[in-house]
Amino acid sequence: MVNNASMDIGALWTCGTKLSLHTKPQMPPCDFIPEKYKALPYNRVLEIHEQHLSPVVTAYFKKPLLLHQGHMEWLFDSDGNRYLDFFSGIVTVSVGHCHPKINTEAQEQLNRLWHTSTVFFHAPVHEYAEKLSALLPDPLKVIFLTNSGSEANDLAMLLARAHTNSTDIISFRGAYHGCSPYTLGLTSVGSYKTELPVGTGCQATMCPDVFHGPWGGSHCRDSPVQTTRKCSCAPESCQAKDLYVEQFKDTLNTVVAKSVAGFFAEPIQGVNGVIQYPKGFLKEAFQLVREKGGVCIADEIQTGFGRLGSHFWGFQTHGVLPDIVTMAKGIGNGFPMAAVVTTPEIAKSLSKRLLHFNTFGGNPLACAIGSAVLKVIKEDILQENSHEVGTYMLLKLAKLRDEFDIVGDVRGKGLMIGMEMVKDKSSRQPLPREEVNQIHEACKQMGLLIGRGGIFFQTFRIAPSMCITKPEVDFAVEVIRSALIQHMERRAE
């Protein structure tokens, strides 16, 4: 187990029964000293979890981490061990754990007013609405505040259907748009599907994945790192995009009604392992949906708020203007908060049909925190940092792809990165889950926390807080490289 920054983690590395001789990566310094853990013992936490919490197995690692405290890009467990957090609470802690500026704003609001509801006015919600709307292009200026991404996407589905008087909504295979009964229809990842009747009226279309799909190659995606697949596309004309558009047309001509309610798209798929589409695809798909009478929804729950670096919103990287935008996760730096932003026309379509009400959406504390997040992103120049440090990390990870045959693909933009593990580059078949688990565990043992994604959980999802530095990237890449070397040693035994 990792101890505080000084412990020689390398002494604990083993490959079967043979001690590894590799030099351990040196964890960057951190001047924050966590409080001593004084809460429930670990074994008691396990007992309570087994007896009273959801039986669905979601915890990472053979021995789940019992986290105690966080500071910026760092997490500390109940034993005082320090970890570099490169998954950010599932792409949620946008500007850093317990960011001091946000803590100050939250504490001031906490002392002033925790909660009131939309039947009363309060300044924080109006201040936040003005700040958020200023970051979105016309006519996206009407904001519905909610509590989670699933709830935001629920509402976006309702808005689309109320405005169009149609039912069918299209999403990509591999899409994740939430786990509520309504959004489960949109989510198209096998492990989230159920035999129970949920989310009716949703249809999944082919994901234009240039690494695993039938078309695509080395010129197709908006990333500093391209797939190593050979590409027949010209630099200014993506043949793969055209072929995927034909598949999208086939969906519109066969499995939905003559008119549709809408189309949901993540600018980059998150849960499916940071999947990027061919350049220009979304622009043509949006046009086709609108010709069918539908509206276009950008799910920015993981991609928004500057994480992609080059733009504040993911949809801007595709050169499109959605009719509805949903956002959550990084909006509150981990505080439960979400939003749906749409046009006045679409908003009025809903108000004519029902009285929409949300008890906790837009409460004073959430809005004060949301405003503080926007302030920190601007003052700390975090969007620019995402671009610079994210590009730096992508290029370093690409060198690992060139070094190891089991690293099939490295992709992403800014600080939303996927590293897909394969049996070998020629087959592109997913590396077995138990082998991916071993690499994942080894990274944790060396003090690095990363995520997992993909249909077969074969892709490492790397999405740190936007405050990270290049020295921390250097450490993370060396940890991953060391974990890969350990794994290759195990294979050779």
Side-chain angles (χ1 to χ4, degrees):
M1 177 64 71
V2 183
N3 203 344
N4 259 338
S6 60
M7 182 174 180
D8 186 359
I9 306 161
L12 299 178
W13 294 2
T14 58
C15 300
T17 58
K18 182 176 69 175
L19 197 65
S20 175
L21 301 178
H22 301 297
T23 304
K24 73 176 182 71
Q26 184 64 44
M27 184 177 282
C30 171
D31 58 7
F32 180 81
I33 300 174
E35 300 170 358
K36 186 172 174 140
Y37 180 75
K38 298 178 181 177
L40 292 168
Y42 188 88
N43 288 341
R44 183 62 186 139
V45 169
L46 288 181
E47 290 175 3
I48 294 171
H49 190 92
E50 290 174 2
Q51 293 172 11
H52 301 298
L53 294 177
S54 168
V56 177
V57 179
T58 56
Y60 279 166
F61 311 121
K62 293 178 182 177
K63 182 181 179 182
L65 282 176
L66 176 55
L67 294 175
H68 167 50
Q69 200 164 358
H71 175 72
M72 301 303 284
E73 58 268 56
W74 301 102
L75 285 171
F76 301 85
D77 70 10
S78 56
D79 293 323
N81 301 316
R82 176 160 64 102
Y83 302 89
L84 183 58
D85 181 11
F86 265 40
F87 197 32
S88 306
I90 313 183
V91 203
T92 299
V93 180
S94 50
V95 302
H97 293 281
C98 300
H99 193 293
K101 294 178 183 177
I102 295 176
N103 283 0
T104 298
E105 297 286 343
Q107 188 61 56
E108 289 180 2
Q109 187 60 47
L110 201 63
N111 292 333
R112 187 179 302 119
L113 181 66
W114 279 32
H115 173 75
T116 183
S117 204
T118 51
V119 295
F120 302 105
F121 286 177
H122 58 88
V125 70
H126 296 85
E127 291 170 354
Y128 183 69
E130 186 174 48
K131 291 172 184 174
L132 182 62
S133 64
L135 294 167
L136 288 145
D138 287 326
L140 294 169
K141 296 299 177 183
V142 181
I143 300 167
F144 296 82
L145 291 167
T146 64
N147 307 290
S148 73
S150 292
E151 188 181 349
N153 282 337
D154 271 346
L155 179 55
M157 294 173 74
L158 189 61
L159 281 163
R161 286 168 170 163
H163 183 67
T164 62
N165 288 311
S166 297
T167 300
D168 285 335
I169 297 180
I170 304 164
S171 62
F172 287 129
R173 296 173 197 162
Y176 180 86
H177 296 291
C179 210
S180 65
Y182 213 24
T183 57
L184 277 174
L186 288 175
T187 292
S188 188
V189 178
S191 54
Y192 290 94
K193 304 306 283 187
T194 173
E195 295 85 359
L196 302 173
V198 293
T200 57
C202 300
Q203 305 292 342
T205 190
M206 177 185 283
C207 178
D209 179 354
V210 300
F211 179 67
H212 272 298
W215 309 291
S218 55
H219 298 297
C220 294
R221 61 192 181 202
D222 176 24
S223 173
V225 179
Q226 299 291 332
T227 177
T228 57
R229 289 176 71 182
K230 290 183 179 179
C231 189
S232 57
C233 304
E236 301 300 324
S237 177
C238 184
Q239 182 183 14
K241 179 262 293 181
D242 296 337
L243 292 167
Y244 285 117
V245 166
E246 289 303 311
Q247 289 296 310
F248 194 78
K249 288 179 181 177
D250 187 62
T251 296
L252 292 172
N253 290 330
T254 58
V255 299
V256 295
K258 291 181 180 179
S259 61
V260 298
F263 167 51
F264 269 78
E266 302 162 86
I268 296 177
Q269 286 189 339
V271 170
N272 196 23
V274 193
I275 302 299
Q276 294 180 277
Y277 324 126
K279 290 175 283 189
F281 174 86
L282 274 191
K283 184 174 284 189
E284 293 198 29
F286 274 28
Q287 181 179 341
L288 291 167
V289 168
R290 286 169 174 151
E291 289 172 2
K292 279 275 203 176
V295 299
C296 299
I297 301 104
D299 180 336
E300 294 277 356
I301 289 164
Q302 295 189 39
T303 53
F305 296 92
R307 176 162 290 281
L308 301 189
S310 63
H311 298 78
F312 199 81
W313 304 109
F315 68 78
Q316 293 170 318
T317 69
H318 295 274
V320 297
L321 179 62
D323 304 293
I324 303 172
V325 181
T326 60
M327 54 195 76
K329 291 187 179 287
I331 190 175
N333 199 46
F335 192 86
M337 184 180 184
V340 180
V341 185
T342 190
T343 67
E345 182 184 7
I346 293 174
K348 287 176 184 175
S349 297
L350 184 67
S351 65
K352 291 175 182 177
R353 291 174 174 264
L354 60 86
L355 173 65
H356 178 264
F357 182 78
N358 188 307
T359 299
F360 296 103
N363 79 76
L365 186 55
C367 290
I369 290 172
S371 289
V373 169
L374 295 180
K375 184 179 180 182
V376 166
I377 291 171
K378 182 177 181 180
E379 289 184 350
D380 293 3
I381 320 176
L382 295 185
Q383 180 184 330
E384 293 81 354
N385 193 62
S386 293
H387 176 68
E388 182 180 349
V389 178
T391 300
Y392 178 78
M393 179 158 47
L394 274 160
L395 294 174
K396 288 184 76 74
L397 290 172
K399 292 180 181 178
L400 296 185
R401 179 199 60 190
D402 298 339
E403 183 178 354
F404 296 92
D405 195 42
I406 60 171
V407 180
D409 194 30
V410 170
R411 52 187 176 254
K413 191 172 173 66
L415 290 174
M416 189 168 178
I417 298 171
M419 188 174 83
E420 183 161 346
M421 309 305 297
V422 295
K423 290 180 179 178
D424 56 76
K425 284 186 172 66
S426 58
S427 72
R428 288 179 282 129
Q429 292 298 306
L431 191 68
R433 186 180 296 193
E434 59 272 17
E435 295 188 47
V436 180
N437 288 345
Q438 290 171 350
I439 299 168
H440 198 216
E441 289 273 355
C443 289
K444 187 260 286 185
Q445 291 290 344
M446 289 180 271
L448 176 69
L449 303 180
I450 54 179
R452 297 276 296 277
I455 302 298
F456 303 101
F457 299 95
Q458 79 278 22
T459 301
F460 291 122
R461 295 169 64 192
I462 301 170
S465 298
M466 296 189 291
C467 58
I468 64 156
T469 64
K470 290 180 180 178
E472 290 157 357
V473 167
D474 292 339
F475 167 72
V477 173
E478 279 307 304
V479 166
I480 295 169
R481 184 175 184 274
S482 297
L484 293 171
I485 290 172
Q486 292 180 59
H487 184 71
M488 300 310 294
E489 288 175 348
R490 282 190 293 267
R491 274 187 159 192
E493 288 181 345

